[in-house]
Amino acid sequence: VGEIRPLLAERGFAVPERPGLRLRTLEDVFAYAEAENVTLRIDGMETQVRRPKAGRPGRRAFVSGKRRQNTIKTTTISDGQGRTLWSGATRPGRMHDQTAMRTEGIAEQFRQHPGVKAEVDDGYRGLANEFPEQVSAPPKKPKEHEKDDAPLSEKYGWREMKRRQSSRRICVEHANAEHRQWRPLQRYTGRRETYAETHRAVAGLVSDRAARRTTRRKPSTELVLARPTAC
């Protein structure tokens, strides 16, 4: 396991319908998305890990504010059909999703690739504010006093916008669910120092399986002339 794990971790991630192409960095992912006109879906994933020993420095850094457990967070990027294109940005559970991605340089990638668009959740609202033409986040929830004064149509409008945005990015949740089918990513019991390699190795194998899925094509609504007509 110790010999195979780093080899699998360095393979990168498979690309649908491109057997010889592997994505290893964020630069590769954004270049591929811009070339193929792929809208990215970005989401975080938490895995429970063993609690550090008492008195060890940085012990609180792994306590997740959301799950109230010792976790390690990673970030997953998928396409519109839930196929994993990249997974990484490993950090302690206390660090915010957006902070981890900015540390990886995602903001710079959006600047270098202005044609790339992405769907995110509330954890990446700062990116949506900085790149409003590229990053789509759920609409802000109306404040309590505004909800009372707002007409009923606006309340239902906010719910409908949130539902539609959620349906566009639910595929990355399905990609994370594929990762969790592997026992080590359900609850990691090994050394935390080897989690990053284990996660990349599993995510790479998941991407291999997902890349073999047939691409679903949306039917076109363009009108096509069925037969020539005589004038």
Side-chain angles (χ1 to χ4, degrees):
V1 173
E3 294 176 356
I4 296 299
R5 181 172 52 207
L7 297 178
L8 292 176
E10 296 301 325
R11 289 177 65 239
F13 303 90
V15 177
E17 301 178 354
R18 299 289 191 275
L21 183 62
R22 309 288 297 189
L23 306 178
R24 293 179 173 85
T25 62
L26 272 179
E27 292 83 354
D28 297 341
V29 175
F30 274 76
Y32 164 75
E34 189 172 40
E36 299 292 334
N37 193 26
V38 175
T39 301
L40 303 177
R41 273 70 172 180
I42 306 174
D43 191 30
M45 172 181 168
E46 288 189 74
T47 303
Q48 185 179 354
V49 296
R50 292 189 300 178
R51 183 173 60 181
K53 292 183 179 179
R56 179 172 295 183
R59 188 170 185 245
R60 295 185 59 189
F62 290 90
V63 180
S64 169
K66 180 179 180 180
R67 298 183 59 178
R68 304 298 180 184
Q69 294 175 338
N70 287 264
T71 64
I72 288 181
K73 287 184 178 180
T74 51
T75 300
T76 302
I77 300 180
S78 76
D79 62 2
Q81 299 188 23
R83 296 175 293 199
T84 301
L85 300 179
W86 184 83
S87 187
T90 307
R91 71 278 188 188
R94 199 175 187 87
M95 184 180 293
H96 197 275
D97 293 342
Q98 185 173 238
T99 304
M101 288 303 290
R102 287 187 179 276
T103 305
E104 291 288 322
I106 189 172
E108 185 62 27
Q109 293 304 315
F110 277 115
R111 294 190 186 96
Q112 294 182 5
H113 303 276
V116 175
K117 298 184 182 301
E119 300 282 346
V120 299
D121 62 1
D122 290 313
Y124 302 92
R125 186 172 296 280
L127 278 177
N129 295 336
E130 186 175 355
F131 304 97
E133 301 298 328
Q134 297 176 256
V135 183
S136 173
K140 290 185 178 181
K141 185 177 181 180
K143 297 181 180 179
E144 294 298 329
H145 67 276
E146 293 178 355
K147 289 195 300 183
D148 297 336
D149 300 335
L152 192 61
S153 58
E154 291 186 10
K155 298 179 183 179
Y156 284 116
W158 170 77
R159 293 180 182 176
E160 180 63 18
M161 290 174 60
K162 187 176 179 64
R163 185 193 65 80
R164 292 185 180 184
Q165 202 275 343
S166 177
S167 66
R168 291 195 301 267
R169 58 167 299 276
I170 193 63
C171 49
V172 70
E173 302 281 359
H174 296 161
N176 282 333
E178 286 186 294
H179 298 169
R180 295 187 187 280
Q181 291 177 2
W182 294 69
R183 184 62 61 85
L185 301 190
Q186 295 176 8
R187 185 179 185 275
Y188 190 70
T189 58
R191 296 176 63 88
R192 296 192 310 276
E193 292 78 7
T194 62
Y195 176 82
E197 276 189 350
T198 303
H199 182 91
R200 289 199 305 270
V202 171
L205 295 174
V206 169
S207 73
D208 289 337
R209 182 173 59 184
R212 292 195 294 268
R213 292 202 296 261
T214 305
T215 302
R216 299 189 301 271
R217 308 292 183 182
K218 291 185 178 181
S220 175
T221 57
E222 181 181 359
L223 296 179
V224 180
L225 186 63
R227 65 180 66 180
T229 56
C231 298

